């Protein structure tokens, strides 16, 4: 496929806007268009949305493939355009995950302190560390894993939402914008705008469900939008630098699991120190751990789709 002159900037922006609107609109199609009765439970409601999100992702992938100037429809080349690759897969998992965890150094330290305190309280109540306690640890861990696997909200936060959003807002949109002639830095800052617009519908849902003021709803969603924009910058950066979809995907799952980073704690100053050290480490390692040479066999003078060999 060619990376120059295949798509105009206006076509790329219109296509990205259309995919954004379709990703949101299809979520409401079961009741507004198909006239289906309201779901009887949260599980049925979420399953409907899962199906809609998957359909939206498939349509966006096909729509994007028809617009992109593909030279060949071979499966490896087609998947590679979306960053779906098996080569350097461990690099694309370990390095971005390690980099992302640095921003959560304060959160990880706080969780460790809480775990140690609860462990000390348990030991003081039980009179020491018994063999039965150690023996039941695997069972407790297995029970925790089963509870997570059976939680419909966990499937949304850790599977469906990250996978479909990264497919649409990174794998589909970034190649279109790059092919449209936008510079890599422009794409990093432009792509999250579409990503944040797709979350505007949460303001009305929050307003209708919580029965709160419209101002409070917009403030809550404004905080969420700010977070999604910042994460969108980072995810787009990872995708362009590595050429791997799994890189922003694993970061997305980890961020959803951790929530907002903890900046400080009244219990211990170690949390603040860890957060600052994590931020410093993140900035220091951001470019070295996302160096294109770590994720691709050859980057010199290549006709790579994601533009990493043109990155300065």
């Amino acid at each position: 496929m060619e990376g120059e002159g295949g798509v105009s900037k206006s076509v790329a922006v219109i296509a990205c806007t259309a995919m954004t609107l379709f990703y949101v609109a299809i979520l409401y199609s079961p009741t507004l268009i198909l006239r289906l009765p309201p779901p009887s439970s949260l599980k049925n409601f979420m399953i409907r949305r899962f199906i809609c999100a998957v359909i939206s992702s498939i349509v966006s992938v096909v729509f994007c493939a028809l617009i992109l100037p593909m030279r060949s429809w071979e499966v490896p080349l087609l998947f590679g355009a979306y960053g779906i690759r098996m080569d350097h897969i461990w690099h694309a998992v370990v390095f971005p995950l390690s980099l992302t965890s640095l921003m959560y150094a304060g959160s990880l330290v706080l969780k460790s302190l809480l775990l140690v305190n609860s462990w000390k309280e348990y030991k003081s109540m039980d009179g020491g560390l018994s063999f039965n306690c150690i023996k039941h640890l695997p069972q407790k861990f297995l029970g925790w894993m089963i509870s997570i696997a059976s939680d419909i909200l966990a499937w949304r936060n850790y599977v469906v939402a990250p996978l479909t959003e990264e497919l649409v807002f990174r794998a589909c949109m970034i190649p279109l914008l790059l092919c449209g002639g936008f510079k890599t830095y422009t794409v990093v800052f432009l792509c999250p705008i579409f990503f944040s617009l797709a979350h505007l519908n949460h303001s009305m849902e929050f307003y209708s469900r919580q029965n709160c003021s419209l101002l409070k709803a917009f403030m809550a969603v404004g905080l969420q939008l700010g977070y999604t924009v910042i994460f969108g910058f980072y995810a787009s950066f990872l995708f362009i630098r590595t050429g791997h979809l799994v890189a922003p995907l694993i970061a997305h799952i980890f961020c959803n699991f951790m929530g907002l980073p903890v900046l400080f704690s009244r219990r211990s100053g170690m949390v603040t120190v860890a957060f600052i050290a994590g931020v410093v480490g993140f900035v220091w390692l951001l470019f070295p751990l996302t160096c294109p040479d770590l994720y691709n066999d050859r980057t010199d003078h290549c006709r790579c789709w994601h533009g990493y060999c043109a990155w300065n």
Side-chain angles (χ1 to χ4, degrees):
M1 49 188 175
E2 293 292 329
E4 298 178 355
V7 179
S8 66
K9 288 186 177 181
S10 58
V11 170
V13 172
I14 292 173
C16 291
T17 304
M19 286 188 287
T20 301
L21 295 176
F22 184 66
Y23 186 87
V24 176
I26 197 174
L27 298 178
Y28 302 94
S29 61
T31 54
L32 297 181
I33 298 178
L34 301 179
R35 301 294 181 181
L36 296 178
S40 58
S41 64
L42 175 63
K43 183 177 181 179
N44 292 336
F45 173 76
M46 295 308 302
I47 289 176
R48 279 189 186 182
R49 291 214 155 181
F50 291 171
I51 295 174
C52 292
V54 170
I55 292 175
S56 174
S57 301
I58 294 174
V59 170
S60 295
V61 168
V62 175
F63 175 67
C64 187
L66 295 175
I67 297 178
L68 293 175
M70 297 284 185
R71 289 191 309 181
S72 172
W73 283 81
E74 296 179 2
V75 173
L77 182 63
L78 182 62
F79 279 15
Y82 299 111
I84 304 174
R85 301 159 38 194
M86 291 306 297
D87 61 290
H88 302 81
I89 189 69
W90 289 109
H91 300 76
V93 172
V94 175
F95 293 149
L97 181 59
S98 302
L99 186 64
T100 307
S101 64
L102 290 175
M103 290 299 297
Y104 288 89
S107 303
L108 296 173
V109 168
L110 180 60
K111 289 180 181 294
S112 300
L113 292 175
L114 294 175
L115 183 61
V116 170
N117 290 334
S118 62
W119 185 259
K120 288 181 179 179
E121 292 177 2
Y122 180 83
K123 284 180 65 178
S124 61
M125 293 175 57
D126 194 51
L129 187 62
S130 63
F131 175 75
N132 290 331
C133 177
I134 299 177
K135 185 175 66 175
H136 288 95
L137 281 178
Q139 296 179 359
K140 292 181 179 179
F141 179 76
L142 181 61
W144 177 75
M145 292 295 294
I146 293 175
S147 66
I148 291 293
S150 60
D151 186 359
I152 193 68
L153 294 180
W155 278 92
R156 179 195 65 180
N157 295 332
Y158 310 138
V159 180
V160 179
L163 183 59
T164 57
E165 289 178 357
E166 293 307 319
L167 270 174
V168 174
F169 296 98
R170 247 67 71 179
C172 289
M173 292 189 181
I174 289 180
L176 273 175
L177 294 172
L178 288 176
C179 185
F182 289 97
K183 301 297 183 181
T184 49
Y185 284 104
T186 304
V187 173
V188 167
F189 289 98
L190 180 60
C191 199
I193 295 177
F194 298 105
F195 184 54
S196 61
L197 289 177
H199 291 78
L200 283 176
N201 63 306
H202 295 316
S203 60
M204 296 309 299
E205 291 184 357
F206 183 86
Y207 174 71
S208 60
R209 292 179 183 177
Q210 300 296 328
N211 195 25
C212 61
S213 65
L214 189 61
L215 177 61
K216 185 177 180 180
F218 275 107
M219 288 179 62
V221 175
L223 178 63
Q224 182 186 19
L225 289 180
Y227 179 74
T228 56
V229 167
I230 294 174
F231 175 78
F233 294 154
Y234 178 56
S236 301
F237 178 87
L238 286 178
F239 185 80
I240 293 177
R241 289 281 284 177
T242 66
H244 263 282
L245 178 62
V246 72
L249 177 61
I250 200 71
H252 197 151
I253 295 172
F254 182 78
C255 289
N256 281 1
F257 180 77
M258 295 297 296
L260 290 174
V262 176
L263 308 183
F264 65 93
S265 174
R266 295 179 180 179
R267 298 185 179 185
S268 175
M270 291 178 58
V271 175
T272 303
V273 173
F275 172 75
I276 295 175
V279 171
V280 173
F282 177 85
V283 174
W284 182 43
L285 295 173
L286 180 60
F287 278 88
L289 285 186
T290 59
C291 179
D293 293 320
L294 296 175
Y295 306 91
N296 305 274
D297 291 326
R298 181 175 177 176
T299 59
D300 54 324
H301 306 293
C302 62
R303 300 286 297 179
C304 57
W305 183 252
H306 304 294
Y308 51 73
C309 54
W311 191 284
N312 294 319

